[in-house]
Amino acid sequence: MSDQSRDTIESLSHEDRTFPPPAEFAARAQIQEAEYRRLLALAETDYERFWAEQAQAELQWIQPFTRTLNDREAPHYQWFEDGLLNVSVNCIDRHLPDRANKPAIIFEGEPGDTRRLTYAELLHEVVRFANALRGRGIKKGDRVVLYMPMVPEAVIAMQACARIGAIHSVVFGGFSGDSLRDRINDAEASAVVTADGGFRSGRVIELKAVCDRIIGDCPSVHTVFVLKRAGNPVTWSPARDIWWHEAVAGAGADCPPVAVGAEHPLFLLYTSGSTGRPKGIQHSSAGYLLGTILTMRWVFDIRPDDVFWCTADVGWITGHSYVAYGPLAAGATLLMYEGAPMVPDPGRYWQICERHKVSVFYTAPTAIRALKKQGDDYPARYDLSSLRLLGSVGEPINPEAWMWYHTHIGHGRCPIVDTWWQTETGAHMIAPIPGVSTLKPGSCGRALPGIMADIVDNKGDPVGAANTGGFLVIKRPWPFMLRTVWRNPQRYIDTYWKEFDGRYYVSGDGAKRDADGYFWIMGRVDDVLKVSGHRLGTMEIESALVAHSRVAEAAVVGRPDELTGEAICAFVVVRGTRPSGPDAEALTQDLRQWVSEHIGPIAKPAVIRYTDNLPKTRSGKIMRRLLRAVAAGEPITQDVSTLENPDIIRQLQGD
Ligand code: WTA
């Protein structure tokens, strides 16, 4: 956390509307008041027993564990370490006795094609692809990178890795070739699974072509599996590339699951932090899976007849926990949609809800705001009576968007679970229990049973008083927490545990708690941006900018944005004279394209401003708080007397 960001925690405006659980919902909810109290009390009195009981009840073990928590190498905690299990068995095989013919996945492609896979069919597909992986020599512990569209095969490939103990690392299909290459190389992946292309916003996203451009710089990769999805032409390297359909055609229909230790890494997922390159967040097998199952039940109240739709891409943690693993582990029917929400028009999401009778719907505030902006008519055209519960994730949801979601999508009938969590936490941490909790628009409620969340000041002391802002921390390890940063244990310690001398897991978020104990998240206190709910480090964007031949220095900050939550604002110092007029316009175009190629279109700056130098403190640190105020068009209240060139402020303001 930078010094300048320590004092950025401000109080949100006061919101006092409350929504108790509707009586009908509460009466049928899986977690009722008494059970909720029991869970909270057990976690308080006997923390390890609490988690041991959950892990025994919810997971199918090949060999039961005898030790619950090992903290000898804290903060490298281990959970259930001597247990053995297989994650794909827990997600698929164990449902076969009573749910073989139940749909596991209902898929709708952007062009409108649909597919259904029952649990029995899903197992068949997973086993065949697992054998295809084995056929190419991939074994337990090997890394497999996925660069896929949102199609069932993405989930099949993840589950197939889990079946043989290979470690997957999914790279969001919107990331550029450079980002893909860096992740493949950091993970030293043996294989990549991609597709010819996927459909998104009416276009074909050519994934294989992106792969081809960088794969020559990825010496560890010997095989690229290519799913035929969009039918676009691809170039081929016969020694390395193999079509998915050909690889599974000859594969056996039996693949005994590989037993792995509870702590065996299930996956790596690269995410942005405030410094350095994206880091490979490493998750475990048993603890991680436990978090996804429990929260499917506690927070999503999942039931056998639910159709559960989480709109997140599998390239993000939400698409891991609530697309690829949680819904299947809970035995639910999962809906997957390939494309964009506005195709062919902004009614698409609601049409899908009607068509497939979605009952639990989980999305991001940025999508809610964008759809709200399109007007109330779109949702009004569709029968949304199958919906019974709504969810929100990824950034704070503003009360106006919450109210619209509640009124126009939930028709006042569906509770909204606003779920706070992170790539690192694995599953929900602070969230309502929908049959029990009274909701407050804009608050994510209380911490879940067993999650010891608190708010501390900059010395690490709990702030105690209600409505006082501070740093959101977790005081005890929990089973679904990240285990480390891939091949960089020191970075794990430095990023998450150093701030308060190893006493707490530091989330990087600022928050306050009101008099009822409800958490209100106030956003990141480090240099991480949330743009449309996507997590980006300012540092990454700055390094992409300075890699351009005309750029000498760059500083990137977030600016509040009505739709995307935050928008990227870059202040750039060029080599030579500060550009203006058509030259500045052309360079801006060029730089936006440049960032898009280096990171991905999601990282394109919304605004680029040119300046002769960046405002710095005497010690040479960029005054980010000042830049944030400038970007937001706010009056400058900071002390600027130390600025070398005070005129710079006007330049920064874009005059
Ligand atoms: C933010 C996404 C407010 C937060 C699951 C966190 C939220 C970061 C919420 C993690 C929420 C996530 N309310 N803010 N309900 N959920 N965040 O790793 O700043 O992509 O630190 O994980 O998103 O982003 P990540």
Side-chain angles (χ1 to χ4, degrees):
M1 265 167 255
S2 72
D3 286 346
Q4 292 154 35
S5 56
R6 284 180 179 284
D7 47 3
T8 57
I9 300 172
E10 295 149 17
S11 262
L12 290 173
S13 59
H14 192 62
E15 168 65 45
D16 49 17
R17 283 171 286 204
T18 57
F19 296 83
E24 204 188 324
F25 190 101
R28 290 192 65 202
Q30 300 214 35
I31 304 291
Q32 307 253 341
E33 183 83 31
E35 172 66 357
Y36 176 58
R37 301 258 158 246
R38 187 190 75 82
L39 292 170
L40 281 178
L42 182 58
E44 277 300 331
T45 50
D46 195 342
Y47 191 71
E48 286 192 34
R49 198 181 117 209
F50 168 80
W51 285 119
E53 279 185 8
Q54 304 304 323
Q56 278 151 359
E58 302 290 349
L59 299 177
Q60 208 176 74
W61 294 92
I62 294 170
Q63 175 188 297
F65 62 93
T66 62
R67 286 192 296 278
T68 302
L69 171 63
N70 174 350
D71 58 7
R72 280 191 300 274
E73 286 165 45
H76 288 96
Y77 296 98
Q78 305 205 307
W79 286 89
F80 323 121
E81 59 181 339
D82 58 341
L84 294 176
L85 80 172
N86 179 279
V87 169
S88 85
V89 167
N90 274 274
C91 292
I92 311 172
D93 307 46
R94 75 154 147 178
H95 304 307
L96 290 196
D98 33 74
R99 295 185 194 156
N101 296 320
K102 172 181 173 158
I105 300 180
I106 301 175
F107 168 73
E108 183 165 318
E110 194 180 78
D113 52 321
T114 59
R115 246 169 96 192
R116 273 167 186 257
L117 285 167
T118 63
Y119 271 92
E121 288 163 342
L122 177 63
L123 180 63
H124 182 67
E125 298 297 331
V126 166
V127 159
R128 289 198 313 156
F129 194 65
N131 281 330
L133 290 169
R134 290 206 308 185
R136 285 283 174 142
I138 294 156
K139 55 184 189 318
K140 181 175 164 189
D142 290 351
R143 275 80 57 210
V144 176
V145 163
L146 272 64
Y147 189 60
M148 298 280 279
M150 271 295 283
V151 295
E153 281 77 7
V155 173
I156 291 166
M158 291 161 88
Q159 290 283 348
C161 287
R163 193 156 195 95
I164 61 171
I167 303 168
H168 61 70
S169 181
V170 185
V171 177
F172 173 56
F175 277 126
S176 68
D178 287 5
S179 301
L180 175 63
R181 179 200 57 219
D182 292 350
R183 287 157 172 79
I184 292 173
N185 287 339
D186 191 78
E188 287 186 84
S190 322
V192 172
V193 187
T194 188
D196 51 356
F199 297 101
R200 179 90 196 171
S201 301
R203 291 200 316 265
V204 171
I205 308 294
E206 299 198 11
L207 297 164
K208 168 79 162 70
V210 176
C211 237
D212 286 342
R213 281 203 291 278
I214 53 93
I215 208 78
D217 297 328
C218 302
S220 57
V221 175
H222 55 66
T223 301
V224 177
F225 294 92
V226 186
L227 177 74
K228 199 177 208 121
R229 163 64 186 150
N232 49 308
V234 290
T235 50
W236 209 252
S237 159
R240 189 193 62 213
D241 299 342
I242 177 164
W243 285 109
W244 175 299
H245 57 268
E246 286 173 7
V248 298
D254 184 32
C255 176
V258 171
V260 301
E263 284 293 314
H264 180 69
L266 178 62
F267 64 86
L268 311 177
L269 184 58
Y270 285 81
T271 193
S272 302
S274 45
T275 55
R277 288 184 167 194
K279 43 192 182 290
I281 301 299
Q282 180 179 321
H283 274 289
S284 68
S285 292
Y288 170 79
L289 194 66
L290 178 63
T292 69
I293 302 182
L294 284 176
T295 52
M296 285 302 297
R297 292 213 298 109
W298 292 352
V299 181
F300 290 130
D301 185 44
I302 206 75
R303 286 205 295 254
D305 54 351
D306 275 317
V307 176
F308 177 84
W309 182 16
C310 163
T311 66
D313 191 280
V314 285
W316 308 108
I317 190 67
T318 309
H320 282 61
S321 303
Y322 302 106
V323 177
Y325 291 108
L328 297 175
T333 295
L334 159 73
L335 188 122
M336 273 183 96
Y337 168 57
E338 176 185 32
M342 309 287 181
V343 181
D345 68 39
R348 185 65 183 265
Y349 273 9
W350 320 128
Q351 183 192 49
I352 293 175
C353 286
E354 176 187 278
R355 183 181 293 158
H356 302 290
K357 301 206 166 25
V358 173
S359 56
V360 181
F361 177 72
Y362 189 37
T363 196
T366 189
I368 299 166
R369 289 191 296 264
L371 293 166
K372 170 174 181 278
K373 197 172 161 216
Q374 302 296 323
D376 306 343
D377 305 353
Y378 286 106
R381 280 183 211 161
Y382 299 96
D383 176 6
L384 299 179
S385 60
S386 58
L387 289 173
R388 65 181 194 90
L389 180 64
L390 304 174
S392 171
V393 59
E395 52 178 317
I397 179 165
N398 45 313
E400 294 65 41
W402 196 102
M403 288 306 301
W404 185 81
Y405 198 26
H406 193 252
T407 309
H408 293 279
I409 310 304
H411 295 175
R413 185 187 69 239
C414 307
I416 298 178
V417 286
D418 177 357
T419 58
W420 179 85
W421 60 298
Q422 308 179 294
T423 303
E424 293 85 343
T425 70
H428 303 155
M429 300 289 280
I430 307 178
I433 305 288
V436 175
S437 312
T438 289
L439 307 172
K440 302 187 187 187
S443 163
C444 50
R446 298 194 179 96
L448 293 176
I451 300 302
M452 306 304 179
D454 206 349
I455 296 172
V456 300
D457 62 21
N458 53 19
K459 292 198 199 67
D461 297 323
V463 297
N467 297 315
T468 308
F471 302 99
L472 176 56
V473 298
I474 311 296
K475 299 203 283 193
R476 298 189 75 163
W478 65 102
F480 31 107
M481 66 193 293
L482 78 164
R483 293 305 191 260
T484 192
V485 172
W486 176 249
R487 293 200 172 148
N488 201 342
Q490 192 56 43
R491 193 161 172 205
Y492 165 71
I493 295 170
D494 293 348
T495 310
Y496 304 105
W497 298 92
K498 214 162 115 185
E499 184 76 11
F500 301 116
D501 312 318
R503 279 182 290 163
Y504 317 122
Y505 165 83
V506 183
S507 70
D509 277 2
K512 64 172 185 170
R513 200 161 29 180
D514 68 18
D516 298 325
Y518 280 50
F519 284 86
W520 298 77
I521 307 296
M522 293 182 288
R524 302 288 309 193
V525 290
D526 54 11
D527 297 322
V528 170
L529 303 183
K530 276 293 189 143
V531 181
S532 295
H534 298 151
R535 185 164 157 181
L536 295 162
T538 51
M539 263 267 310
E540 281 165 76
I541 307 171
E542 287 164 8
S543 9
L545 285 168
V546 296
H548 187 278
S549 61
R550 282 193 66 189
V551 176
E553 242 190 322
V556 167
V557 295
R559 179 186 79 175
D561 185 278
E562 220 181 287
L563 278 186
T564 58
E566 278 189 292
I568 301 168
C569 190
F571 296 90
V572 169
V573 181
V574 301
R575 297 177 201 278
T577 330
R578 183 162 67 100
S580 59
D583 176 34
E585 276 162 38
L587 182 59
T588 298
Q589 288 275 345
D590 193 20
L591 289 178
R592 282 167 49 84
Q593 187 53 30
W594 177 264
V595 172
S596 181
E597 280 162 21
H598 275 71
I599 305 176
I602 52 170
K604 267 189 201 174
V607 179
I608 299 182
R609 291 200 188 145
Y610 300 98
T611 165
D612 287 327
N613 34 62
L614 294 171
K616 290 185 183 159
T617 60
R618 275 184 210 285
S619 59
K621 267 184 143 181
I622 294 171
M623 297 172 78
R624 287 179 182 280
R625 200 154 73 92
L626 174 77
L627 289 178
R628 272 196 289 268
V630 169
E634 289 166 3
I636 309 295
T637 53
Q638 289 88 339
D639 178 10
V640 291
S641 56
T642 53
L643 269 184
E644 231 175 296
N645 171 7
D647 286 347
I648 212 71
I649 303 253
R650 262 190 289 116
Q651 268 185 23
L652 295 169
Q653 284 166 332
D655 290 356

